[in-house]
Amino acid sequence: MNIALMAHDAKKELMVQFCIAYCGILSRHNLCATGTTGKMVAEATGLEITRYLSGSQGGDQQIAARISCDEIDLLLFFRDPMTEKSNEQSEMDMFRLCDMRNIPMATNIATAEVLIHGLERGDLDWRDIVNPNK
């Protein structure tokens, strides 16, 4: 599966800790991330991660483009709900794309853990049935 990792500044360390905890599962998949998040996770875990631009420089749009082309199977985006973001509309557009493409997404660690355990069990393989050409 192709998994995208994103995190607001206040949640980057949480993403790093999450990826350390689930490194064994994540290592069996293709990972991509926005710039700083990808750098921090790769340095902490040794995971191979395709890095895009930082979110504020268009990395979120690069990942959204991959979502719109059905090139992302799972989005983990740890959001900081307490800080207003200038690019919040582009984030909402990305979430809408996930809904349109039936891409599971987590915006907090609780949901991310549910999805990662489902991924480990094979519960997320339903996308192969829904999209057999992938």
Side-chain angles (χ1 to χ4, degrees):
M1 283 199 150
N2 296 318
I3 301 172
L5 307 173
M6 301 173 70
H8 286 151
D9 289 344
K11 300 292 183 171
K12 288 189 190 316
E13 187 56 36
L14 181 61
M15 178 63 81
V16 168
Q17 295 304 315
F18 176 85
C19 291
I20 289 170
Y22 295 106
C23 189
I25 297 168
L26 293 170
S27 68
R28 297 190 298 266
H29 300 279
N30 300 315
L31 305 176
C32 68
T34 48
T36 308
T37 300
K39 180 178 190 249
M40 290 175 68
V41 170
E43 288 175 353
T45 63
L47 290 168
E48 186 175 319
I49 300 174
T50 300
R51 289 177 41 209
Y52 295 107
L53 297 171
S54 293
S56 62
Q57 296 177 340
D60 55 344
Q61 293 172 347
Q62 289 176 300
I63 289 178
R66 291 198 63 203
I67 290 168
S68 69
C69 294
D70 282 329
E71 296 174 356
I72 298 294
D73 302 304
L74 175 64
L75 173 64
L76 303 178
F77 185 172
F78 290 0
R79 300 177 66 222
D80 176 12
M82 301 307 290
T83 306
E84 188 173 322
K85 307 292 181 286
S86 62
N87 60 342
E88 197 154 355
Q89 183 58 50
S90 65
E91 291 174 7
M92 292 299 118
D93 292 342
M94 183 169 37
F95 299 152
R96 185 174 61 75
L97 283 171
C98 286
D99 289 341
M100 289 171 54
R101 301 287 186 187
N102 288 318
I103 295 171
M105 70 174 169
T107 59
N108 59 61
I109 192 163
T111 308
E113 287 188 329
V114 169
L115 289 177
I116 205 82
H117 288 293
L119 181 64
E120 182 178 31
R121 287 188 311 265
D123 294 347
L124 299 183
D125 291 340
W126 64 269
R127 282 187 50 87
D128 295 333
I129 297 166
V130 174
N131 300 319
N133 296 327
K134 274 197 87 172

